[in-house]
Amino acid sequence: MKKVLVAALAATALAGPVVADTKIGMITTLSGGGAGLGIDVRDGFMLAISQSGRDDVEVVIEDDQRKPDIAVQLSDKMIQSEKVDIMTGIIWSNLAMAVVPAATAQGVFYLSPNAGPSALAGQGCHPNYFNVAWQNDNLHEAAGAYANSAGYGKSFILAPNYPAGKDALTGYKRFFEGELAGELYTELGQTDYAAEIAQIRASGADSVFFFLPGGMGISFLKQYADSGVDLPVVGPAFSFDQGILQAVGGAALGVVNTSQWNKDLDNATNAAFVESFQAEYGRLPSLYASQGFDTANLILSALDVASPDDADAFREALRAADFDSTRGDFVFGPNHHPIQTIYAREVVQEGDVFTNKLLGAALENHADAYAGDCKM
């Protein structure tokens, strides 16, 4: 088991009460398909911990290998043997559904830096569960809103067949006002999209919306570009984020995608984050890195007020979200999911680097569709 113990660097004491010996368990994807997402969450999280200068926080990091059974085993070990106070890190919604309900039922706080399945936002919400990223549908809802503004009237939509994929298509359809030329669920981890692209070509669509995170998106975009199908593509940031864009290259240029964050979002915290992340790791941060950074800073802000041992006080400190977010102002809705602006971004090339630039807001101060079903 890999343990990372954060040493204090600051010479002056932090203001307010300081909690002794808080242990955080991070289970994330560090190998195999999708490892880049977990690595970025980890690196963003650990950058914030390091910058805090605290010597009272221990982070235990484990690789779930993108396998639900491994994630469950690691979670049990962290809770029962490691005695963690807080858990975080999971990228994939099927893993979150396998881990989060059991963890929170045992009194552990879980803060998601990524996965936001609808089942945990509505009736399955829990006082000890907070999502610091988004509810899964949100970025896809914004893509549907953007498609309307772009004048698209007949979209072909596809996503992997797992909880986040189902949330994705549900979210797009919730806001898209046109008709569907086709709707497909692909296999999770699929790399060959020849059959799907053939269906798109024959569908009569005027646009394509897809959610294929990690290596799935890389494969699809390259094959789509090579196919000669020239329909405009809209998607969430997950298939057009910083690490993915370098692998896709020119095939992604001009694509509009939706995100609650971008490196050129104009606030002082974000500017400092982008600069420090690049200095520390030698690459531009991704959406996932920003989410890891925000998750750590939220935890640290709550630890300045209360200990996880005082669950009620710590929960209230998390709800207050009194920290400087890379997104600017940050506020939780009643189900502990963010209410936030989702932006449209365009893929551009800056020198040798493919990246995104902000175009404007697609949905402002947007809450998720499931908060009304959450009773806590």
Side-chain angles (χ1 to χ4, degrees):
M1 175 175 285
K2 179 180 179 183
K3 295 185 180 181
V4 181
L5 185 60
V6 182
L9 301 176
T12 57
L14 292 169
V18 177
V19 180
D21 301 323
T22 298
K23 185 176 282 191
I24 302 171
M26 174 179 284
I27 300 171
T28 195
T29 305
L30 301 174
S31 62
L37 286 59
I39 289 168
D40 276 2
V41 161
R42 177 200 66 190
D43 289 353
F45 190 95
M46 295 310 300
L47 178 64
I49 297 290
S50 176
Q51 289 178 350
S52 75
R54 300 181 71 119
D55 63 354
D56 59 342
V57 176
E58 183 181 354
V59 184
V60 182
I61 302 174
E62 288 282 8
D63 177 15
D64 59 36
Q65 304 171 49
R66 209 172 79 177
K67 297 176 181 178
D69 58 332
I70 298 295
V72 170
Q73 292 172 22
L74 292 172
S75 176
D76 289 344
K77 187 175 184 178
M78 284 187 173
I79 294 170
Q80 296 163 16
S81 300
E82 291 288 335
K83 306 296 183 184
V84 298
D85 305 290
I86 303 163
M87 292 181 65
T88 189
I90 290 177
I91 299 297
W92 307 92
S93 288
N94 54 331
L95 273 67
M97 290 305 302
V99 167
V100 172
T104 54
Q106 295 176 74
V108 174
F109 284 90
Y110 192 95
L111 282 81
S112 177
N114 196 68
S118 55
L120 298 181
Q123 293 182 1
C125 67
H126 191 281
N128 285 359
Y129 173 71
F130 291 77
N131 189 296
V132 194
W134 22 256
Q135 191 278 316
N136 281 350
D137 301 27
N138 289 167
L139 271 59
H140 315 295
E141 291 167 338
Y146 171 79
N148 297 333
S149 69
Y152 303 147
K154 194 174 183 182
S155 286
F156 192 105
I157 64 176
L158 66 158
N161 189 14
Y162 80 122
K166 294 175 181 178
D167 288 345
L169 299 194
T170 297
Y172 187 82
K173 290 186 290 185
R174 184 177 290 124
F175 276 74
F176 181 57
E177 297 170 354
E179 61 179 296
L180 297 184
E183 179 176 358
L184 285 177
Y185 285 106
T186 63
E187 291 184 15
L188 186 62
Q190 184 173 326
T191 57
D192 184 351
Y193 294 95
E196 288 80 4
I197 292 170
Q199 290 184 58
I200 292 169
R201 188 193 304 274
S203 69
D206 66 2
S207 54
V208 176
F209 166 80
F210 78 94
F211 163 64
L212 294 165
M216 294 178 284
I218 295 170
S219 297
F220 176 81
L221 277 171
K222 286 185 172 182
Q223 292 165 36
Y224 186 82
D226 290 343
S227 73
V229 177
D230 59 358
L231 298 175
V233 173
V234 180
F238 316 121
S239 296
F240 302 93
D241 211 60
Q242 199 59 53
I244 291 173
L245 286 178
Q246 304 320 302
V248 175
L253 282 173
V255 171
V256 174
N257 61 96
T258 50
S259 176
Q260 85 283 12
W261 175 87
N262 200 50
K263 67 181 178 63
D264 58 351
L265 201 57
D266 187 16
N267 66 73
T269 298
N270 192 48
F273 162 67
V274 172
E275 182 179 1
S276 61
F277 188 95
Q278 196 165 14
E280 180 70 21
Y281 300 113
R283 67 185 190 276
L284 285 171
S286 69
L287 172 74
Y288 305 101
S290 75
Q291 292 166 184
F293 188 79
D294 279 354
T295 300
N297 278 318
L298 171 61
I299 292 172
L300 293 168
S301 73
L303 289 175
D304 284 341
V305 176
S307 165
D309 291 338
D310 185 349
D312 290 341
F314 188 71
R315 189 180 302 112
E316 288 307 311
L318 289 172
R319 282 178 181 152
D322 186 16
F323 74 106
D324 294 327
S325 169
T326 59
R327 283 164 266 183
D329 293 338
F330 188 101
V331 62
F332 281 119
N335 60 345
H336 297 172
H337 286 64
I339 297 173
Q340 60 191 338
T341 297
I342 314 295
Y343 302 92
R345 318 184 300 180
E346 181 182 359
V347 179
V348 297
Q349 187 170 359
E350 297 176 354
D352 295 330
V353 177
F354 295 93
T355 188
N356 288 284
K357 69 173 183 180
L358 285 177
L359 296 178
L363 292 173
E364 294 192 53
N365 298 319
H366 183 57
D368 68 90
Y370 305 96
D373 297 326
C374 174
K375 310 299 181 187
M376 64 178 176

